[in-house]
Amino acid sequence: MAPKNHLRRRTQAPSISGDEQARINAITCVRCGSGESPAELLLCDNCDHGFHLFCLSPILPRVPKSSWFCPSCSSSSSPSKTPKQFPLIQTKIVDFFKIQRSSDENLGCKKRKKKLGGLVMAKKKRRLLPFNPSEDQERRLEQMASLATALTATSSVFSDDLTYCPAMAPRSANQPSLEREGMQVMSKEDIEALNACKKMMERGECPPLLVIFDSREGFTVEADRFIKDLTIITEYVGDVDYLKNREHDDGDSMMTLLSARDSSKSLVICPDKRSNIARFINGINNHSLDGKKKQNVKCVRFDVDGECRVLLIASRDIRKGERLYYDYNGYEQEYPTHHFV
């Protein structure tokens, strides 16, 4: 999806002289030093330095419609890049995540009854496993506070479900039968595992994950305890909209929900206003040697009771402290991820 326009010029420039055009033509990317791929070379609105869309970290899928400032100019104009930490207060966290108050005591239980035990023992049948939350109450509060910090910093609110808003795609548009190559139907056992994850979140038993802020990658997610292969990490949620309405959207976290035979019916998930921890799990290019070593999560779309849903699932055992990455493109190969780091 390379942008059609060439270099994005300063918004205040009324016209371009011949000398100025020649100077622009000579601009190269600060990161890689190349002037190739001019359609993907972006100019900072402050310093006029050039950057390829795919050389930025994280990359930009397209040229922004509004003003854009390079990382150096952005950091110099901001007093601090470190987000303000959400208070580690149980009542505030309970309110933020709308945890069932009648079950607040679940936050303090040292041991949780194992549910769906048959699923845990059924790896040979490739069944999905519900995540295993941390047993320590204080640690779960820290995990939820880290997510609340990221959501607050990005002006988002927590949601653990797909949302359908006026002027966007209605729920009736979410039809797995429209998928161009067919969509796999989630089994009854796997639906039980997914529902178990939802119920645990409602009780305040969150996935064993921490959202951390990295100056290079921005918000990212790491495992806070061992996660077994085939474990459901989380569902990708947000506002559902038609892809045709978002073709020029500057958002960098949209996820394909439905890739319909009729492109006008294709749907995407937009987590910029309502989202959960899935928004902060980073996508990488998994078609390089480094990418294959880094990817530990896969993105899978399912027909769940007649509705398209997207899950992030552990594609191998994940050790504690390991950052989570999934293949941004999956099978679609829509975005230029060959320059991901």
Side-chain angles (χ1 to χ4, degrees):
M1 294 181 67
K4 296 180 180 179
N5 52 317
H6 288 267
L7 294 172
R8 183 184 174 282
R9 297 183 175 83
R10 300 272 307 263
T11 56
Q12 302 299 319
S15 61
I16 301 294
S17 65
D19 291 342
E20 178 68 5
Q21 185 63 56
R23 184 190 69 80
I24 290 177
N25 291 339
I27 289 177
T28 58
C29 175
V30 170
R31 295 284 172 82
C32 69
S34 169
E36 296 181 358
S37 303
E40 299 179 358
L41 195 56
L42 182 64
L43 291 184
C44 174
D45 277 306
N46 182 54
C47 66
D48 263 352
H49 287 156
F51 294 81
H52 282 120
L53 298 175
F54 47 72
C55 286
L56 294 169
S57 181
I59 72 162
L60 292 178
R62 58 185 63 82
V63 174
K65 291 182 289 186
S66 57
S67 299
W68 178 82
F69 301 96
C70 69
S72 296
C73 292
S74 296
S75 60
S76 62
S77 62
S78 176
S80 175
K81 295 184 67 176
T82 303
K84 181 180 179 180
Q85 297 297 307
F86 193 87
L88 193 60
I89 301 174
Q90 178 171 326
T91 54
K92 290 185 177 294
I93 292 174
V94 167
D95 288 340
F96 187 91
F97 291 98
K98 299 179 181 178
I99 296 170
Q100 295 175 352
R101 288 189 175 275
S102 60
S103 301
D104 287 352
E105 63 273 11
N106 287 321
L107 286 172
C109 63
K110 294 184 178 180
K111 288 194 175 183
R112 179 178 57 89
K113 291 183 179 180
K114 290 186 177 181
K115 295 186 176 182
L116 302 173
L119 290 175
V120 176
M121 302 300 295
K123 182 179 177 182
K124 290 183 179 180
K125 296 182 179 180
R126 307 299 291 176
R127 291 177 180 173
L128 301 182
L129 311 176
F131 62 76
N132 190 15
S134 300
E135 296 176 353
D136 181 75
Q137 172 194 5
E138 293 300 321
R139 195 57 180 170
R140 290 205 302 273
L141 289 175
E142 292 174 12
Q143 293 162 358
M144 287 187 285
S146 72
L147 173 56
T149 295
L151 290 170
T152 302
T154 54
S155 302
S156 306
V157 297
F158 175 75
S159 173
D160 207 31
D161 296 293
L162 296 176
T163 49
Y164 300 88
C165 304
M168 295 187 187
R171 182 183 293 274
S172 59
N174 187 351
Q175 300 182 36
S177 59
L178 299 177
E179 177 70 18
R180 63 186 175 189
E181 296 180 7
M183 183 173 293
Q184 58 182 314
V185 178
M186 178 172 275
S187 68
K188 178 181 178 181
E189 293 82 3
D190 290 346
I191 291 177
E192 290 177 356
L194 176 60
N195 289 338
C197 293
K198 296 285 186 179
K199 291 296 183 182
M200 284 189 285
M201 275 300 302
E202 291 174 3
R203 297 193 300 264
E205 298 177 4
C206 58
L209 306 169
L210 278 175
V211 184
I212 60 175
F213 184 79
D214 184 286
S215 59
R216 185 165 177 262
E217 295 186 15
F219 287 111
T220 186
V221 178
E222 66 179 33
D224 201 37
R225 71 180 302 178
F226 173 78
I227 299 175
K228 191 175 180 61
D229 181 25
L230 290 181
T231 294
I232 298 175
I233 302 296
T234 186
E235 180 179 354
Y236 208 100
V237 301
D239 295 336
V240 178
D241 201 0
Y242 290 108
L243 175 61
K244 62 185 179 182
N245 295 340
R246 300 285 178 154
E247 290 180 343
H248 302 290
D249 197 297
D250 291 341
D252 60 357
S253 300
M254 287 189 296
M255 170 68 69
T256 299
L257 177 63
L258 171 64
S259 184
R261 292 180 290 273
D262 179 351
S263 60
S264 67
K265 297 181 179 180
S266 292
L267 302 176
V268 290
I269 302 171
C270 308
D272 51 323
K273 295 182 180 179
R274 283 165 284 271
S275 54
N276 61 9
I277 202 167
R279 175 183 178 181
F280 304 107
I281 297 177
N282 283 344
I284 60 169
N285 167 39
N286 197 43
H287 300 284
S288 64
L289 293 177
D290 288 341
K292 289 180 180 178
K293 293 178 181 177
K294 289 173 69 175
Q295 184 187 7
N296 48 23
V297 176
K298 60 183 177 181
C299 174
V300 187
R301 290 183 290 144
F302 287 102
D303 173 347
V304 182
D305 293 330
E307 183 180 45
C308 302
R309 306 272 283 275
V310 180
L311 300 186
L312 297 182
I313 300 167
S315 58
R316 59 171 172 79
D317 289 347
I318 303 173
R319 64 182 182 277
K320 179 179 178 180
E322 188 176 347
R323 291 190 180 180
L324 273 57
Y325 296 97
Y326 68 95
D327 187 351
Y328 190 79
N329 271 323
Y331 70 88
E332 295 172 25
Q333 305 305 310
E334 188 174 7
Y335 297 100
T337 62
H338 52 287
H339 291 277
F340 270 23
V341 295

